Amino acid sequence: MPRRFVARRSPIHGNGVFATAPIKKGEEIIEYKGTLMTHAEADAMYGDGGETGHTFLFTLNDQYIVDANRKGNTARWINHSCDPNCRALIEESADGDPRKDRVVIEAIRNIRPGEELTYDYGITLDVPHTPRLKKLWKCLCGSPRCTGTLLKPKR
Ligand SMILES: [Zn+2]
């Protein structure tokens, strides 16, 4: 089966991933791959993450993070949107081994060729979401529903 997407420059941010063929709602598009690391290892390597503004880290579960800086695939270029056409799903392993959980990107509506693939990163930092950090994590998705930042309100 030919690939149904391609990575190229995006008007949202840096590189993006664009559909090259129709993708149906509910279809799995790609697995978010990378090197598995613990939260402690990620903190040691990248700090608390608040200062980078963009990240190739995906929280898999309470124990592990997928680090797409290392052995990542095209999925790491998929941008955030406040009105996304995909979502990131955690598929828990059948045998309960947290190392075998997977992140898959799935279409949440029908997607036309040429559309940029996006999902809601749903980021909350351990540190307070100050105006400065919100600006650092500024969202440029252009959707009418854009909240202006990738950071989610904390409860
Ligand atoms: Zn936005």
Side-chain angles (χ1 to χ4, degrees), residues 35-64:
T35 301
L36 220 54
M37 66 196 307
T38 65
H39 289 262
E41 286 165 351
D43 287 349
M45 189 174 287
Y46 300 110
D48 65 16
E51 299 301 322
T52 63
H54 275 89
T55 175
F56 291 133
L57 303 180
F58 197 108
T59 299
L60 186 60
N61 49 44
D62 287 346
Q63 278 149 69
Y64 295 104

Side-chain angles (χ1 to χ4, degrees), residues 92-112:
E92 292 186 16
S93 73
D95 61 7
D97 180 351
R99 297 187 66 89
K100 293 185 194 159
D101 290 353
R102 302 162 70 229
V103 184
V104 295
I105 309 298
E106 176 190 283
I108 55 173
R109 61 169 172 77
N110 294 332
I111 299 171
R112 297 182 308 274

Side-chain angles (χ1 to χ4, degrees), residues 76-153:
R76 73 186 188 277
W77 300 117
I78 299 176
N79 277 312
H80 164 92
S81 171
C82 301
D83 187 15
N85 52 21
C86 298
R87 62 177 175 161
L89 275 180
I90 311 284
E91 285 189 354
E92 292 186 16
S93 73
D95 61 7
D97 180 351
R99 297 187 66 89
K100 293 185 194 159
D101 290 353
R102 302 162 70 229
V103 184
V104 295
I105 309 298
E106 176 190 283
I108 55 173
R109 61 169 172 77
N110 294 332
I111 299 171
R112 297 182 308 274
E115 277 192 80
E116 179 163 3
L117 305 182
T118 55
Y119 65 94
D120 185 338
Y121 286 10
I123 296 172
T124 51
L125 303 178
D126 293 336
V127 294
H129 293 171
T130 60
R132 192 181 68 83
L133 278 180
K134 284 183 182 168
K135 200 172 164 193
L136 195 62
W137 290 83
K138 184 165 68 170
C139 183
L140 298 171
C141 76
S143 144
R145 294 188 212 169
C146 186
T147 63
T149 178
L150 273 64
L151 302 180
K152 284 277 168 289

